[in-house]
Amino acid sequence: MTASRRRASVDVLLPGRYEWYVKHFTNTRRVSDSTVRRLSLYLRYLEEFQRRGLKTVSSQELAHGTGTTPAQVRKDLSFFGSFGKRGLGYFVPELITKIRAILGLGREWRVLVLGAGRIGTALAGYPDFARQGFRVVALVDNDRSKIGGASGGVPVRDVADLERIVQQELIDIAIVATPAGAAQALVDRAVAAGVRAFLNFAPVKLDVPAEIALRNVNMALELEGLSFAMTSGRVLAV
Amino acid sequence: MTASRRRASVDVLLPGRYEWYVKHFTNTRRVSDSTVRRLSLYLRYLEEFQRRGLKTVSSQELAHGTGTTPAQVRKDLSFFGSFGKRGLGYFVPELITKIRAILGLGREWRVLVLGAGRIGTALAGYPDFARQGFRVVALVDNDRSKIGGASGGVPVRDVADLERIVQQELIDIAIVATPAGAAQALVDRAVAAGVRAFLNFAPVKLDVPAEIALRNVNMALELEGLSFAMTSGRVLAV
DNA sequence: AGGTGTGAATTATTTCACAGCG
DNA sequence: CGCTGTGAAATAATTCACACCT
């Protein structure tokens, strides 16, 4: 209490204290998941904006186009630097470059789809992935009648060769589009072979080591959210 | 300041005050989106649990199976009632019934898919939807070569007949799986025809009236989240 | 003993509001 | 002026911790 707020001599890094320390004395601020999601939305909107030939954009416009508030836009961006010009706004091409760098979109990411069923094949040919630098290199399946074929230009290969494919094709990301029961075992093999990130469409909780990135997309869950909103008379716009 | 905290005589419903009022004096507590999402996860896990013939479950087990904490499970459920038995846990079949009721899954929801492309047709045949009572009744498209056909038992109809289909088939929910540019106009028509909820897969911000429920699934955005996590050395498990 | 239900405390996220710069 | 960048304030969500039941 008597020491200055910025340098108390007996301050020890207790739980809670630690977070505070990180936040105030390092540049390793925790960026929330919601912030990252919004950055993607800003990027999408900026690209559209650029297509229309516009040069600068204000936090106001960006917020309106992505369903958030101007303060939120500025706060989100301020985690990563000062990209705007006061009185003017942000230069569209420059901000696109910055956000792409933040999101790690300056390179090509190599993607393998696990499961060549309806969802897997639909995702393999999804044009938005390629547009942002996610290149789907192959699908794998265990169905003999599918192996050797191709879907939207992407070859279907034998899941038995998973490890070899991951290593030869330098796979970064796997999209899990298998039945729920098969997912965890394949993910374990993929992790062991070197895949560092997973986008999971199977309706199961996947266990992965802490250093592996994982996101879940659960479509039935989204419909249930709509069902809840309609039933309870509330509205959930997310 | 001098009045009791629970009944200050000049308390007016200012912004902020209003929320406090609702929270403390009505039973209309705001349920957060994250709570609703977790209820869906609990339900999924409970169904699996029941399949294995287990009769009771603790908040501990439920949390472990869904990637959250026991306190969170209890808090989520307590928004809606007291479903557990102290010292014992929750009865699995009973809790399933309760959660299904909360989420509004006691009825069949009728679903129309807008767009019979890869994503649309994949979703039309997605077995998890039917399992929770979401019945995909039809797809619509403007491609003559698709109209009249069927995908996974679901007929493809002419988008020109959208209004008639919504009304005749009593559509509750539309899944938007069209190209980005076509989405908003179709959604406007669907709203006018009586659709009350939308699950949007198109990478655009849709504008809908406040009483219409809307959820967005943006798959490129999820991949970008993984890209960020790998680039920044942080991990985002969601 | 074992596990729920829930206020209170903590932590996270959003919004406000305004100094300061172009 | 107009609009950013950002501490401070307000809200929201999560976690703690414990009284209380069975």
Side-chain angles (χ1 to χ4, degrees), chain B residues 158-178:
Chain B
D158 190 338
V159 69
D161 297 329
L162 175 61
E163 287 77 5
R164 196 177 331 165
I165 297 167
V166 167
Q167 280 156 24
Q168 282 177 358
E169 299 287 355
L170 301 170
I171 299 299
D172 300 295
I173 301 173
I175 297 180
V176 181
T178 63

Side-chain angles (χ1 to χ4, degrees), chain B residues 44-57:
Chain B
R44 210 67 77 253
Y45 185 75
L46 286 163
E47 286 168 342
E48 172 61 29
F49 220 66
Q50 186 173 49
R51 216 167 291 129
R52 290 197 260 128
L54 298 159
K55 288 303 172 208
T56 65
V57 66

Side-chain angles (χ1 to χ4, degrees), chain A residues 53-83:
Chain A
L54 298 159
K55 288 302 172 211
T56 65
V57 66
S58 65
S59 59
Q60 170 85 215
E61 291 166 301
L62 213 30
H64 181 260
T66 56
T68 181
T69 64
Q72 184 75 79
V73 170
R74 298 199 300 275
K75 184 68 98 182
D76 285 339
L77 294 174
S78 78
F79 278 116
F80 302 97
S82 298
F83 307 135

Side-chain angles (χ1 to χ4, degrees), chain B residues 4 10 16 19 48 88 90 136 153 155 161 170 192 200 225:
Chain B
S4 112
V10 282
E19 287 299 323
E48 172 61 29
L88 183 61
Y90 304 86
V136 179
D161 297 329
L170 301 170
N200 177 37

Side-chain angles (χ1 to χ4, degrees), chain A:
Chain A
M1 284 297 203
T2 55
S4 110
R5 261 180 77 252
R6 307 212 56 180
R7 264 302 173 184
S9 55
V10 280
D11 258 348
V12 174
L13 298 183
L14 299 172
R17 291 314 277 162
Y18 175 71
E19 288 297 324
W20 183 87
Y21 174 85
V22 166
K23 193 164 165 185
H24 288 262
F25 295 114
T26 78
N27 54 8
T28 317
R29 311 198 167 196
R30 253 283 274 304
V31 176
S32 78
D33 181 55
S34 354
T35 293
V36 177
R37 304 182 93 85
R38 281 189 303 260
L39 287 177
S40 284
L41 295 175
Y42 303 154
L43 178 59
R44 210 68 76 253
Y45 185 75
L46 286 164
E47 286 167 343
E48 173 60 29
F49 220 64
Q50 187 173 48
R51 217 166 293 131
R52 290 197 261 130
L54 298 159
K55 288 302 172 211
T56 65
V57 66
S58 65
S59 59
Q60 170 85 215
E61 291 166 301
L62 213 30
H64 181 260
T66 56
T68 181
T69 64
Q72 184 75 79
V73 170
R74 298 199 300 275
K75 184 68 98 182
D76 285 339
L77 294 174
S78 78
F79 278 116
F80 302 97
S82 298
F83 307 135
K85 299 274 170 280
R86 296 178 190 225
L88 184 60
Y90 304 85
F91 289 115
V92 174
E94 185 189 321
L95 190 53
I96 287 177
T97 306
K98 296 291 190 188
I99 295 180
R100 289 185 58 87
I102 294 164
L103 293 177
L105 300 178
R107 50 163 289 187
E108 177 184 275
W109 294 99
R110 297 175 68 80
V111 179
L112 175 66
V113 178
L114 309 178
R118 286 162 174 274
I119 301 282
T121 51
L123 293 174
Y126 193 57
D128 278 15
F129 289 169
R131 197 169 297 141
Q132 295 301 332
F134 297 96
R135 160 94 146 273
V136 179
V137 170
L139 297 104
V140 294
D141 206 294
N142 63 359
D143 182 340
R144 298 238 143 265
S145 69
K146 290 175 181 164
I147 295 166
S151 178
V154 181
V156 180
R157 300 182 55 181
D158 191 337
V159 68
D161 297 329
L162 175 61
E163 287 77 5
R164 196 178 331 164
I165 297 167
V166 167
Q167 280 156 25
Q168 284 178 357
E169 300 287 357
L170 302 170
I171 300 298
D172 301 294
I173 302 172
I175 296 180
V176 182
T178 63
Q184 183 68 58
L186 284 181
V187 167
D188 290 345
R189 286 174 59 194
V191 168
V195 176
R196 295 160 54 214
F198 292 87
L199 180 54
N200 177 37
F201 284 82
V204 272
K205 184 194 161 223
L206 294 179
D207 287 316
V208 293
E211 73 278 12
I212 302 293
L214 169 65
R215 290 240 193 174
N216 295 292
V217 175
N218 188 324
M219 297 180 291
L221 178 149
E222 304 296 338
L223 283 183
E224 288 170 17
L226 295 176
S227 166
F228 174 80
M230 287 187 283
T231 304
S232 66
R234 265 180 224 91
V235 167
L236 299 180
V238 179

